[in-house]
C-alpha cells in the first residue's frame, strides 16, 4: 500500500548550517505531523498541519525551526542554523481525517550535526 | 497534561511464551490509546488502538491489548512470542472526542522486547 515518504534518509550538517527535510504524506491524508526522536527513544512532537494550515505548533522551537505544507508539494521542515542538540531522527506522520485515529509514519530522516 | 508511562525499558521472553508489555496513561476525559512497533532504522508501525467499546482489542501480528479504566492501563499482550517480535514498542494516548480537530498524541518512551530463541 501507500507509505509516507521522507527524504533524505541521512543528512549531515556542520553547526550553524541550514537543514531541510521533506515529507510526502499518504495521498488523501489531511493531517501531517512532525516528531523528533532523540536519545532514550523519546518522541517529541514538533508541529502538525491540517492540509496546508498549521494546526498545532506548540512543540516547535520557533527561533530556528520552521515548517510548511503547501498544496501539490512535499511538506518541509527547515532548521535555519543547526546546533549539535538538533542531531536526531525526524519522523513525519500522516493521518486521514479527524475521524481516523492512527498515524502512519515515514521511515525518518537522520540528521547529524557536527 | 497527558502522559504515558512504560515502566520497563526492556522485556525479555522466551520464544513461545506469552508476553506482556506494560503501559499506563494519564489524560483528561476518555482516552484514545494506541500501540506502535518500531523496527531498527524504521518508522513506527501501527499495531492496534482502543477508541471505545470492548476493552480487549485485537491488532496486527497476533497482538492484543486490554484497556483497564480503573487502573488507567493499556497493556500489550501476545499469547505466544516469536523471535521476529523483537523490536521497540511504544504506547501512545490522546484525548478522546473530535472537537477542535486532531488532538496531539503523546508517546511513551518505549519498551524493548527481546524474544529469546
Amino acid at each position: 500500500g501507500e507509505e509516507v515518504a521522507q527524504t533524505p534518509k541521512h543528512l549531515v550538517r556542520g553547526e550553524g548550517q541550514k537543514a531541510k527535510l521533506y515529507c510526502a504524506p499518504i495521498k488523501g491524508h489531511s493531517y501531517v505531523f512532525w516528531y523528533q526522536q532523540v536519545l532514550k527513544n523519546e518522541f517529541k512532537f514538533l508541529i502538525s498541519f491540517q492540509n496546508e494550515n498549521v494546526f498545532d505548533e506548540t512543540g516547535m522551537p520557533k527561533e530556528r525551526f520552521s515548517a510548511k505544507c503547501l498544496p501539490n508539494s512535499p511538506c518541509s521542515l527547515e532548521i535555519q542554523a543547526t546546533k549539535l542538540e538538533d542531531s536526531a531522527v525526524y519522523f513525519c506522520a500522516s493521518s486521514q481525517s479527524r475521524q481516523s485515529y492512527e498515524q502512519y509514519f515515514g521511515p525518518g530522516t537522520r540528521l547529524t550535526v557536527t | 497534561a497527558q502522559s504515558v508511562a512504560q515502566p520497563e525499558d526492556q522485556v525479555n521472553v522466551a520464544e513461545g511464551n506469552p508476553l506482556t508489555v506494560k503501559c499506563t496513561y494519564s489524560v483528561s476525559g476518555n482516552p484514545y490509546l494506541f500501540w506502535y512497533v518500531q523496527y531498527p532504522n524504521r518508522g513506527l508501525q501501527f499495531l492496534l488502538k482502543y477508541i471505545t467499546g470492548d476493552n480487549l482489542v485485537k491488532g496486527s501480528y497476533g497482538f492484543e491489548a486490554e484497556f483497564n479504566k480503573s487502573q488507567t492501563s493499556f497493556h500489550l499482550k501476545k499469547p505466544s512470542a516469536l523471535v521476529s517480535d523483537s523490536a521497540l514498542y511504544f504506547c501512545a494516548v490522546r484525548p478522546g472526542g473530535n472537537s477542535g480537530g486532531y488532538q496531539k498524541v503523546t508517546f511513551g518512551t518505549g519498551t524493548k522486547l527481546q524474544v529469546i530463541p
Side-chain angles (χ1 to χ4, degrees):
Chain A
E2 285 198 68
E3 296 180 338
V4 174
Q6 287 188 253
T7 55
K9 198 170 182 178
H10 301 283
L11 191 58
V12 180
R13 288 289 180 264
E15 203 170 7
Q17 290 185 318
K18 185 170 75 175
K20 195 164 185 178
L21 291 60
Y22 296 92
C23 166
I26 293 172
K27 199 177 288 187
H29 281 197
S30 303
Y31 290 87
V32 172
F33 308 82
W34 284 98
Y35 295 91
Q36 181 193 54
Q37 188 180 32
V38 293
L39 293 176
K40 298 291 285 182
N41 303 318
E42 178 190 348
F43 272 83
K44 181 189 172 188
F45 168 80
L46 295 175
I47 191 169
S48 62
F49 288 84
Q50 182 179 3
N51 297 311
E52 62 267 26
N53 303 307
V54 174
F55 182 70
D56 181 346
E57 57 181 347
T58 52
M60 284 283 272
K62 291 183 190 173
E63 59 277 7
R64 296 186 298 110
F65 284 60
S66 62
K68 293 179 187 176
C69 275
L70 300 175
N72 303 314
S73 297
C75 296
S76 63
L77 176 69
E78 188 167 352
I79 309 171
Q80 277 301 326
T82 54
K83 295 184 177 181
L84 295 176
E85 63 258 33
D86 297 332
S87 296
V89 182
Y90 291 83
F91 287 100
C92 173
S94 69
S95 182
Q96 188 170 17
S97 68
R98 183 189 296 186
Q99 283 71 41
S100 62
Y101 307 105
E102 62 270 25
Q103 297 176 21
Y104 293 86
F105 282 76
T109 293
R110 181 175 293 278
L111 173 64
T112 302
V113 181
T114 61
Chain B
Q2 61 203 51
S3 65
V4 175
Q6 293 182 242
E8 303 151 318
D9 286 341
Q10 182 158 335
V11 168
N12 297 322
V13 64
E15 188 176 24
N17 281 5
L19 69 88
T20 299
V21 182
K22 295 180 181 176
C23 170
T24 58
Y25 67 89
S26 173
V27 71
S28 298
N30 293 323
Y32 289 169
L33 293 155
F34 308 85
W35 276 102
Y36 289 84
V37 59
Q38 186 180 29
Y39 296 99
N41 302 313
R42 301 289 299 275
L44 298 183
Q45 292 180 34
F46 169 73
L47 273 182
L48 51 78
K49 65 182 179 234
Y50 171 82
I51 304 300
T52 187
D54 197 349
N55 289 344
L56 184 66
V57 293
K58 294 188 184 295
S60 307
Y61 313 120
F63 284 93
E64 57 190 29
E66 186 163 13
F67 170 60
N68 187 316
K69 189 171 184 177
S70 62
Q71 296 185 1
T72 62
S73 68
F74 189 56
H75 300 331
L76 181 70
K77 300 181 181 186
K78 187 173 182 181
S80 177
L82 300 172
V83 172
S84 57
D85 293 331
S86 298
L88 196 52
Y89 290 81
F90 289 88
C91 181
V93 69
R94 59 164 274 211
N98 287 319
S99 61
Y102 202 106
Q103 300 190 50
K104 190 165 63 182
V105 175
T106 298
F107 289 86
T109 52
T111 298
K112 183 178 179 182
L113 174 66
Q114 190 75 37
V115 181
I116 303 157

